[in-house]
Amino acid sequence: HVPIPFFLAFKMDIDHSCDFSESAVEHEDIPPDPALQEICGSEVNTELMSQGINHVEGGWAKMINADDTEVTARYKKKYLKDEHCQHTIMETASVMEHCNQCKEAEDCFPDLKDEKVVQEMEYEPASRIISMLRDPNKVKRTATSLSWHPLDYHKLAVAYSCLEFQRAPKNMSFDSYIWNIEICNKPEMTLKPISPLVCLEYNHKDTHILIGGSYNGQIGYWDTRSGSQPVQMSATEHSHKDPVYKVIWLQTKIGTETFSASTDGQVLFWDIRNMNEPTKRLVLDPSKKGNRENAFGAVSMEFENSMAKFLVGTEQGLVVSCNRKLETTDDPIVCMYSGHHGPIYALQRNPFFPKNFLTVADWTARIWSEDIKESSIISSKYHMTYLLDGCWSPVRPSVFFTVKMDGTLDVWDILFKEKDPILSLKVCDEALYSIRVRDKDSMVCCGSQLGTVRLLKMSPDLCTLQKNEKALVSEMFERETKREKILEGQYRERHQMKHSTSVEDEGGKDDMEELLACTESEFFETVEAEKKKIEDKEKERSIKKPSKVKDLLDFVLYNLTLA
């Protein structure tokens, strides 16, 4: 006889924990059926067995014998030295750790599985501040540049500087720092430049090396294995004459080439093995004569290794497209894109569609296509405060981020809204000057005017690639590009029509001027003729008057004589 509650206990799902609840339990005995007992005389017994799993080692290359320990050891040692292997292991470990934590949470709270499905169906972006990195100096400076470590996602390099001209405090520190975001109390390493760093970037080839651009125009690089002092600095006479606002590493086999941009109107190419002078020099002169006095000041820059051109954002609100190989062309400046009303503080290509790039300047953020030079294909609304930085999401092609002078972080998704952000978060009261998103992750860091870097965790909706998102974004970019091409063609036609009309108007003006001149001459000739007639009549009258007087006198004398 089997009690009913005891029988139901065996039907519990083994993947979940026990769910205890208070309920009325009734016990009932079910007697066996003698007829069935005669038909089936056998008994059912439950047995427990322990079964092991035989693991067969595999995954080796064809020329490797898995049974030879020396060969496999050498192969492992060679493979582990590969940078790609290290990068893959770091990524896989973080993913495994995340999945393990999610599995433990689901085992403890099974009801969250259903809630997660509901959240995936409802697009509700959210964000929260999880940590802050404060400038340890008493005199606060602006966090002008941020750079995540390419492999160790817990390290963040921050450059500190004062961008207000001749307003830097006397006791201001020149130091910049490398932080471990898990230890927020103090920086992990200090970088000591000659002048405050405006920009700072990790080398993706050798992650121990960083390149920095200083406020005085010099370029220097650091090796974290060598200490806080720079390994080498560029010579002052061959450096920039204004602050260096952007440095970018070139993705080469050696990994030692870089180039920098400054408001002095120059783009300089360097090799850190010899930084006495730049290897190449480009002057952003629109007349293409190399005159620095007429050059555009560079504020931002973007380079994609798969593209033959790099982009420069200028103080004048123009994006200048330049040829990467300066030595093989006589025309380094390819074209220019116009549309902004102020300096372009951020410039970045879409990681999924490199032909489309994002610009952040004045009060708007704009998305451009390389094929359209007259205007952007997508533009945000005009904000009440200045936009100071922005970047694309590394995991979603339709999402990008912007920061504003009022301390607000805006998250945009162009598939849902083009003119307005889908999420606005008031991060702080001071201005936000820099933002950077960690690759393949949802961590966002924002640098403020007072030197505080805030780390924000984004919701899964903002860091998970949606279904058919790439295809939808590609279709959207193509549609908007075609629309702008049609509008650009119509604009050119109208411009040509206006030009031809103006030429005709100029010809008509000449004819009208000739007609007026003829009419004027005829008028004056007529006036002169009439004037001459009047003068002749006056002369005749003056001649006739004396004869009449003489006749009158003769008549009077004659009459007197008769009398």
Side-chain angles (χ1 to χ4, degrees):
H1 299 348
V2 182
I4 290 178
F6 183 77
F7 175 75
L8 293 176
F10 283 94
K11 300 186 73 175
M12 181 184 67
D13 189 356
I14 61 173
D15 292 336
H16 295 78
S17 303
C18 297
D19 186 11
F20 298 99
S21 61
E22 296 182 1
S23 60
V25 180
E26 296 181 0
H27 296 272
E28 184 177 353
D29 292 338
I30 303 175
D33 190 349
L36 295 176
Q37 188 175 6
E38 292 177 359
I39 296 173
C40 182
S42 60
E43 296 181 354
V44 178
N45 296 324
T46 303
E47 296 182 0
L48 298 177
M49 297 178 62
S50 298
Q51 180 67 41
I53 299 176
N54 183 22
H55 174 69
V56 179
E57 189 170 5
W60 297 99
K62 292 182 179 180
M63 70 289 295
I64 301 299
N65 184 10
D67 298 330
D68 192 343
T69 57
E70 293 183 0
V71 174
T72 55
R74 284 198 301 269
Y75 184 80
K76 286 180 181 178
K77 188 176 181 180
K78 179 182 177 182
Y79 187 74
L80 290 175
K81 287 183 178 179
D82 188 7
E83 294 181 359
H84 180 69
C85 172
Q86 297 175 4
H87 188 71
T88 305
I89 291 174
M90 292 292 294
E91 289 184 354
T92 307
S94 61
V95 172
M96 290 176 60
E97 183 180 2
H98 175 70
C99 294
N100 188 25
Q101 293 175 354
C102 293
K103 180 63 178 174
E104 292 177 356
E106 290 177 357
D107 291 341
C108 297
F109 307 100
D111 295 337
L112 291 179
K113 289 183 178 180
D114 298 334
E115 294 180 4
K116 185 176 181 181
V117 174
V118 174
Q119 289 177 0
E120 289 178 354
M121 295 175 63
E122 299 178 0
Y123 187 66
E124 296 181 356
S127 177
R128 60 187 179 91
I129 300 175
I130 61 173
S131 183
M132 287 191 295
L133 309 174
R134 300 182 185 275
D135 184 5
N137 295 281
K138 292 182 179 180
V139 179
K140 303 303 178 184
R141 305 150 306 158
T142 303
T144 55
S145 179
L146 308 168
S147 180
W148 287 101
H149 194 284
L151 298 178
D152 189 353
Y153 291 155
H154 299 293
K155 290 184 179 181
L156 176 68
V158 184
Y160 298 88
S161 179
C162 179
L163 298 179
E164 297 181 3
F165 181 66
Q166 293 185 350
R167 292 187 179 180
K170 294 182 179 179
N171 299 325
M172 189 186 76
S173 174
F174 291 174
D175 297 345
S176 293
Y177 304 107
I178 298 176
W179 295 84
N180 188 333
I181 62 174
E182 294 183 346
I183 305 173
C184 304
N185 297 330
K186 61 179 180 178
E188 186 178 76
M189 185 176 179
T190 303
L191 305 179
K192 294 185 174 296
I194 300 174
S195 178
L197 293 179
V198 180
C199 53
L200 189 63
E201 288 291 335
Y202 269 106
N203 189 336
H204 287 261
K205 194 73 175 179
D206 187 351
T207 56
H208 297 285
I209 296 177
L210 298 94
I211 190 79
S214 302
Y215 190 81
N216 66 349
Q218 287 183 285
I219 306 294
Y221 82 93
W222 283 258
D223 192 331
T224 56
R225 297 164 293 190
S226 302
S228 300
Q229 299 296 329
V231 178
Q232 195 173 358
M233 296 290 294
S234 62
T236 307
E237 59 271 16
H238 297 296
S239 301
H240 291 282
K241 310 307 177 185
D242 285 350
V244 182
Y245 283 92
K246 189 66 177 179
V247 287
I248 295 179
W249 288 100
L250 289 171
Q251 301 297 326
T252 58
K253 294 181 179 180
I254 305 174
T256 59
E257 297 180 9
T258 181
F259 62 113
S260 58
S262 171
T263 50
D264 65 351
Q266 296 184 100
V267 177
L268 304 181
F269 292 76
W270 306 86
D271 192 328
I272 62 173
R273 293 174 296 180
N274 182 15
M275 298 193 67
N276 293 327
E277 59 180 355
T279 58
K280 290 180 286 185
R281 187 185 302 266
L282 171 63
V283 179
L284 300 175
D285 182 8
S287 62
K288 302 177 183 179
K289 296 180 181 179
N291 188 0
R292 277 180 48 195
E293 295 180 356
N294 300 328
F296 294 136
V299 182
S300 56
M301 192 164 53
E302 166 65 11
F303 172 73
E304 172 61 35
N305 195 39
S306 60
M307 309 293 288
K309 295 172 286 187
F310 65 93
L311 303 174
V312 181
T314 65
E315 289 181 304
Q316 291 75 16
L318 300 173
V319 177
V320 183
S321 179
C322 304
N323 200 322
R324 175 186 171 187
K325 297 181 180 179
L326 303 179
E327 63 277 359
T328 59
T329 178
D330 297 331
D331 192 5
I333 298 179
V334 180
C335 62
M336 290 183 287
Y337 304 85
S338 61
H340 283 290
H341 310 294
I344 298 177
Y345 294 112
L347 175 62
Q348 186 184 15
R349 293 185 184 271
N350 190 298
F352 297 87
F353 305 98
K355 285 190 176 182
N356 300 99
F357 56 92
L358 169 72
T359 57
V360 175
D362 50 64
W363 303 272
T364 60
R366 300 172 184 262
I367 299 175
W368 304 73
S369 173
E370 280 194 343
D371 301 330
I372 306 296
K373 302 174 181 60
E374 300 297 332
S375 62
S376 59
I377 61 174
I378 298 175
S379 177
S380 68
K381 68 177 183 180
Y382 279 82
H383 294 267
M384 298 299 294
T385 56
Y386 238 56
L387 276 67
L388 298 178
D389 200 5
C391 62
W392 286 102
S393 169
V395 293
R396 291 195 56 190
S398 64
V399 175
F400 64 92
F401 306 86
T402 59
V403 290
K404 296 188 292 186
M405 189 172 283
D406 61 355
T408 303
L409 167 66
D410 290 334
V411 184
W412 304 77
D413 191 337
I414 57 177
L415 289 180
F416 284 82
K417 293 181 181 180
E418 290 185 13
K419 301 295 183 182
D420 299 307
I422 59 172
L423 176 64
S424 292
L425 181 64
K426 183 69 173 177
V427 178
C428 58
D429 295 330
E430 66 266 18
L432 292 175
Y433 272 81
S434 55
I435 183 173
R436 188 67 69 93
V437 185
R438 193 163 63 180
D439 292 342
K440 299 181 180 180
D441 195 64
S442 59
M443 186 74 71
V444 178
C445 57
C446 302
S448 71
Q449 187 177 10
L450 298 180
T452 302
V453 179
R454 290 168 173 83
L455 305 175
L456 296 96
K457 183 77 172 179
M458 296 294 157
S459 62
D461 295 332
L462 297 174
C463 56
T464 304
L465 188 65
Q466 304 297 318
K467 185 179 180 181
N468 298 329
E469 184 175 355
K470 289 184 180 179
L472 292 173
V473 174
S474 177
E475 182 182 354
M476 183 178 188
F477 285 160
E478 290 178 0
R479 183 182 69 247
E480 295 297 327
T481 302
K482 289 180 180 178
R483 181 178 66 85
E484 287 298 330
K485 282 184 178 179
I486 294 172
L487 294 176
E488 187 176 354
Q490 293 177 355
Y491 173 77
R492 287 179 179 175
E493 290 179 359
R494 291 177 183 175
H495 183 68
Q496 291 176 357
M497 291 177 63
K498 287 182 179 179
H499 181 68
S500 60
T501 306
S502 64
V503 172
E504 292 177 359
D505 291 342
E506 288 178 0
K509 283 182 180 180
D510 295 338
D511 296 339
M512 184 64 68
E513 288 178 359
E514 291 179 1
L515 181 61
L516 288 173
C518 293
T519 306
E520 186 178 0
S521 62
E522 290 178 359
F523 172 75
F524 283 113
E525 288 177 359
T526 306
V527 170
E528 291 292 334
E530 291 294 330
K531 190 176 179 181
K532 188 175 182 181
K533 288 181 181 180
I534 295 172
E535 290 178 353
D536 292 341
K537 288 181 180 179
E538 290 291 336
K539 287 180 180 179
E540 290 178 358
R541 288 176 183 177
S542 62
I543 294 172
K544 290 180 180 180
K545 280 180 182 179
S547 61
K548 286 182 180 180
V549 172
K550 186 178 180 182
D551 293 342
L552 182 61
L553 289 174
D554 292 341
F555 179 75
V556 171
L557 291 173
Y558 176 75
N559 289 330
L560 288 173
T561 304
L562 292 176

